[in-house]
Amino acid sequence: MKNDFKLIISLLQNTRFKVTIIVLVLLGFMSFGYISPKMTFISGVYSVMTWDYFIMILLLLLLFNTYNIYTELTKNYSFLIRMKDYKEFFNKIVKFIFISNLIIYLIVLIVIVLSSIINTGMNMKTDNYSFYNISNSIYLIFHLIRSYFILNVLVVFCVSIYKLIKEEIGMVITILIPISLPILNPLLIEKKIDSIIKIPLFYGEYFISNNYNTFGFEIFISILFIVILFIISKLFMSIVSKKNVDLQF
């Protein structure tokens, strides 16, 4: 684990990381400009983390970082010779994706928090969340954790799609997934979800406020969606490994 973390840090310091820094600055400007002084600290952070254009760029950033990690690892001979097969390689890549993107995600959250503190004047007032008898601060923590896992499982899904089909088509699909959020967001409406069969299958549904009857049921549906998407990704990569696809991106 320690050696893996050191490798990730070294990969994050290559020339492509300059692009990551530029996008982080852009996200900082976006969050600062989006938070109104009339908001509270909690509502400021939540509004940014449910803003479709912000999430789109954040997802593109995580995808770019994954591309960076993936391409560098497939050129790292000392890393590749330790892999027994494609399955082990994919599992290691998933681990690296979640760790490296967590670093970036935390940096983004720090930027958003600072923007909210500056713009709201440290207004730490809390309210009850719209649909449940819980504080909006508790719901915000849940939303931030859920967003991290949904975005990263989407990244893993994009990698599996890219490797499963022709690269040109895979690249188009990979780009379409982030931009689908601002395109389809105007069509999304808040709705009541009171059974498993109503589980939202479009990731954008988890960045709007739906009524799941209870907070516990929303947690359950969110976990179920993440698990389903991850299982599909694993299935796709299993098919890729059986085709004996090489490790080159």
Side-chain angles (χ1 to χ4, degrees):
M1 179 67 181
K2 185 177 179 180
N3 291 334
D4 287 346
F5 188 77
K6 287 182 178 179
L7 178 56
I8 291 170
I9 294 299
S10 66
L11 293 174
L12 288 175
Q13 293 174 339
N14 64 16
T15 54
R16 291 195 191 96
F17 192 62
K18 295 177 182 178
V19 176
T20 302
I21 296 298
I22 294 173
V23 178
L24 284 172
V25 172
L26 172 61
L27 288 172
F29 279 116
M30 289 178 67
S31 63
F32 186 81
Y34 195 71
I35 299 174
S36 166
K38 296 180 181 180
M39 296 178 178
T40 64
F41 169 77
I42 299 296
S43 62
V45 175
Y46 182 74
S47 64
V48 172
M49 285 303 297
T50 52
W51 181 19
D52 49 358
Y53 285 98
F54 188 91
I55 298 302
M56 177 189 71
I57 295 178
L58 176 57
L59 180 53
L60 286 170
L61 173 60
L62 298 181
L63 283 168
F64 177 79
N65 177 63
T66 299
Y67 171 79
N68 180 29
I69 295 290
Y70 201 122
T71 52
E72 290 299 318
L73 287 179
T74 52
K75 297 175 184 176
N76 189 321
Y77 180 73
S78 61
F79 170 77
L80 292 177
I81 60 175
R82 298 199 301 270
M83 300 296 104
K84 293 185 297 184
D85 51 33
Y86 203 97
K87 181 179 180 181
E88 182 181 0
F89 174 77
F90 177 67
N91 290 336
K92 183 70 73 170
I93 286 295
V94 169
K95 176 182 176 182
F96 278 27
I97 287 173
F98 272 83
I99 295 175
S100 62
N101 282 346
L102 176 60
I103 296 172
I104 292 176
Y105 189 74
L106 291 176
I107 294 173
V108 171
L109 289 185
I110 291 172
V111 170
I112 297 173
V113 166
L114 291 176
S115 297
S116 191
I117 289 175
I118 294 172
N119 281 358
T120 64
M122 286 290 288
N123 183 351
M124 305 304 291
K125 179 183 176 183
T126 59
D127 298 296
N128 277 347
Y129 182 67
S130 304
F131 301 121
Y132 319 125
N133 188 28
I134 60 171
S135 167
N136 58 354
S137 60
I138 294 176
Y139 188 82
L140 174 64
I141 294 172
F142 159 70
H143 177 72
L144 295 178
I145 295 173
R146 176 178 64 183
S147 298
Y148 165 75
F149 281 101
I150 286 179
L151 292 175
N152 278 281
V153 171
L154 273 173
V155 169
V156 173
F157 177 76
C158 288
V159 171
S160 67
I161 286 290
Y162 187 90
K163 295 301 296 182
L164 181 65
I165 60 181
K166 291 183 178 180
E167 292 185 356
E168 295 79 7
I169 300 176
M171 182 63 71
V172 171
I173 294 175
T174 298
I175 295 174
L176 284 177
I177 288 177
I179 66 176
S180 66
L181 183 57
I183 292 174
L184 298 178
N185 188 64
L187 304 177
L188 301 179
I189 57 174
E190 295 182 4
K191 56 189 177 183
K192 189 172 184 179
I193 300 170
D194 51 11
S195 67
I196 295 179
I197 61 174
K198 293 182 180 180
I199 178 174
L201 297 178
F202 174 54
Y203 77 96
E205 293 267 26
Y206 298 92
F207 292 93
I208 64 173
S209 299
N210 284 322
N211 183 357
Y212 291 79
N213 281 346
T214 67
F215 183 45
F217 188 62
E218 181 169 357
I219 293 174
F220 170 74
I221 290 294
S222 300
I223 294 174
L224 182 60
F225 173 74
I226 292 169
V227 170
I228 290 173
L229 198 57
F230 189 74
I231 290 175
I232 293 173
S233 302
K234 291 279 285 185
L235 177 62
F236 287 170
M237 274 301 176
S238 176
I239 295 173
V240 171
S241 63
K242 290 178 181 178
K243 289 182 178 180
N244 295 319
V245 178
D246 61 47
L247 299 181
Q248 294 301 312
F249 198 85

